Amino acid sequence: MQITVNDVELAVETFGDPADSPVLLIGGVTMLSWPDEFCAALAGRYVVRYDLRDAGQSTLVDPDAPRYDLRDLVTDASELLMALNLDRAHVVGMAVGGFIGQLLALDHPDQVASLTLISTRPVAPGPVDPDLPEHDPAMMERLFGRPKPDWTDRDSVVDYMTETARLMSGSRGFDEQDASATAGAIFDRAQATPSAQRASHLGTMFAAIDCKPRWRERLGEISAPTLVVHGEEDPFFPHGNAEALAKEIPAATLLTLPGVGQGVPRETWPVVVPALLRHTS
């Protein structure tokens, strides 16, 4: 369904009974950051997932030159909860969706029953603070040193994004079949233009939007119970970022996934799903 918030339309899907405790999933860019089976596994919760603006089937204007900032994306999430008549929700943010989750908990604390941060960090895109680990340089060289795909060709994009998933994974947890299927599904849902495909797969708008002011210094203000989930071998946002989040958010709990890189691959679900259900109970 399409829901209008903050002057844009967001593509939204829900799972479960609206009478159950709501869980808002904020992915890296598209709702397909959260596979159908993962959403269904959160039984007993009313799960909401959505495409960020300029991605998937939400309003697309110009992902290469966005006219909004990170706080607009936070407002999108806040107004989406209101549009769904959800006074409070358990918020789960992954990767750059974790930026939105942190700011939602800081700027709209009454709407956040609990916070889960997956594969993210306490600072915005760009250079990190001196005490935080940066992207793994070898991984970044392999990631950006290879030929770009033809963003109008499905097979080319699927191959490229499957290899991207492999580079982002740790020593365990990479599932080529899952990675290929997800890339294909994202391609099929996005508009058939290079900019729309790049944004839906890579979140390229985040390199251009204004993410100021900083929020790391405010992490101590987060009052929502917080769970930090992070792969021990994450090469993009290395594990030290999770340690900083868990240290600086009051009473936060850190769940480390051994051998895992970015995200929560299917192999981690027997650990991650029960942890989420406990945290959102």
Side-chain angles (χ1 to χ4, degrees), residues 30 32 51 56-57 151-155 157-158 180-192 196-197 200-201:
T30 82
L32 297 184
D51 294 327
Q57 295 183 356
W151 289 105
T152 63
D153 181 80
R154 189 181 194 275
D155 289 343
V157 172
V158 168
S180 296
T182 298
I186 292 173
F187 185 94
D188 294 340
R189 291 185 73 252
Q191 292 189 21
Q197 289 292 337
S200 293
H201 286 278

Side-chain angles (χ1 to χ4, degrees), residues 103-139:
L103 286 166
L104 192 63
L106 285 167
D107 296 342
H108 304 275
D110 292 343
Q111 291 185 288
V112 180
S114 74
L115 178 64
T116 301
L117 300 172
I118 302 174
S119 301
T120 190
R121 69 183 190 183
V123 293
V128 296
D129 294 346
D131 65 315
L132 297 176
E134 184 55 278
H135 308 305
D136 178 78
M139 180 276 300

Side-chain angles (χ1 to χ4, degrees), residues 47-243:
V47 176
V48 180
R49 67 179 184 178
Y50 69 103
D51 294 327
L52 302 186
R53 60 168 76 190
D54 271 342
Q57 295 183 356
S58 290
T59 292
L60 178 75
V61 179
D62 186 359
D64 295 328
R67 298 180 181 179
Y68 53 88
D69 59 23
L70 179 59
R71 267 60 181 188
D72 284 313
L73 300 181
V74 177
T75 300
D76 291 352
S78 173
E79 292 192 7
L80 175 59
L81 291 176
M82 290 187 283
L84 293 170
N85 296 314
L86 301 175
D87 294 332
R88 284 164 60 83
H90 299 280
V91 175
V92 183
M94 180 162 61
V96 292
F99 302 163
I100 298 170
Q102 291 170 66
L103 286 166
L104 192 63
L106 285 167
D107 296 342
H108 304 275
D110 292 343
Q111 291 185 288
V112 180
S114 74
L115 178 64
T116 301
L117 300 172
I118 302 174
S119 301
T120 190
R121 69 183 190 183
V123 293
V128 296
D129 294 346
D131 65 315
L132 297 176
E134 184 55 278
H135 308 305
D136 178 78
M139 180 276 300
M140 293 294 281
E141 183 177 353
R142 293 172 66 192
L143 189 65
F144 293 106
R146 58 202 168 121
K148 300 296 186 291
D150 175 355
W151 289 105
T152 63
D153 181 80
R154 189 181 194 275
D155 289 343
S156 178
V157 172
V158 168
D159 289 346
Y160 182 86
M161 293 309 303
T162 300
E163 180 60 19
T164 297
R166 187 191 307 274
L167 292 172
M168 293 284 197
S169 68
S171 57
R172 55 181 281 262
F174 175 68
D175 186 316
E176 184 170 355
Q177 183 175 348
D178 274 357
S180 296
T182 298
I186 292 173
F187 185 94
D188 294 340
R189 291 185 73 252
Q191 292 189 21
T193 65
S195 63
Q197 289 292 337
R198 287 195 303 270
S200 293
H201 286 278
L202 301 177
T204 49
M205 69 284 281
F206 279 94
I209 64 174
D210 183 1
C211 292
K212 296 182 180 67
R214 288 170 54 91
W215 66 86
R216 184 181 181 186
E217 291 75 14
R218 298 178 55 207
L219 290 177
E221 301 171 20
I222 292 180
S223 57
T226 301
L227 173 65
V228 179
V229 180
H230 212 100
E232 186 178 39
E233 298 179 7
D234 187 338
F236 195 74
F237 291 146
H239 191 263
N241 290 283
E243 294 171 346

